[in-house]
Amino acid sequence: MIPAKVEFNIDNQFIQEQLEKTIVGNIQSELWFVDVDRIAVLTNMSKRFLEDEILSDPRMRVIERRKNRKRWWPAKEALDVMKTITSEW
């Protein structure tokens, strides 16, 4: 008996997109609000860059919640706004 030859074609781009969708879905289902530290970790952007390029944008300021000196953003809305902002770059 001759062993069968099996070949796999792996689409790395497809796998990457599926992983990102899964991760984003899990994050959205787990997080209600995010602060600047969490956004920095999730986006791999520095806090200074976020402050200069993302958080100072009027669209992010509209969804910002404040208590004393602490700031939070609703996770789902922040993700949507950040996608819009970064797509304009």
Side-chain angles (χ1 to χ4, degrees), residues 51-88:
E51 291 289 352
D52 292 344
E53 301 293 329
I54 306 287
L55 302 179
S56 62
D57 190 286
R59 294 167 284 191
M60 283 297 283
R61 291 198 179 263
V62 167
I63 64 170
E64 181 179 290
R65 306 292 186 264
R66 279 184 183 249
K67 174 88 174 173
N68 299 326
R69 295 176 55 192
K70 185 69 175 162
R71 298 177 299 164
W72 298 274
W73 294 265
K76 182 178 179 346
E77 289 90 342
L79 177 65
D80 294 340
V81 171
M82 290 178 65
K83 281 182 182 179
T84 303
I85 293 168
T86 57
S87 69
E88 296 171 356

Side-chain angles (χ1 to χ4, degrees), residues 11-74:
D11 184 356
N12 289 332
Q13 180 68 28
F14 176 76
I15 292 171
Q16 181 70 24
E17 290 171 3
Q18 293 304 311
L19 284 173
E20 287 177 9
K21 286 180 185 177
T22 302
I23 291 169
V24 167
N26 288 339
I27 289 170
Q28 287 178 348
S29 67
E30 296 294 323
L31 295 176
W32 291 352
F33 288 91
V34 290
D35 63 0
V36 68
D37 294 322
R38 177 61 61 187
I39 295 172
V41 169
L42 294 173
T43 60
N44 199 29
M45 296 178 186
S46 71
K47 287 197 273 187
R48 182 175 178 143
F49 182 82
L50 285 169
E51 291 289 352
D52 292 344
E53 301 293 329
I54 306 287
L55 302 179
S56 62
D57 190 286
R59 294 167 284 191
M60 283 297 283
R61 291 198 179 263
V62 167
I63 64 170
E64 181 179 290
R65 306 292 186 264
R66 279 184 183 249
K67 174 88 174 173
N68 299 326
R69 295 176 55 192
K70 185 69 175 162
R71 298 177 299 164
W72 298 274
W73 294 265

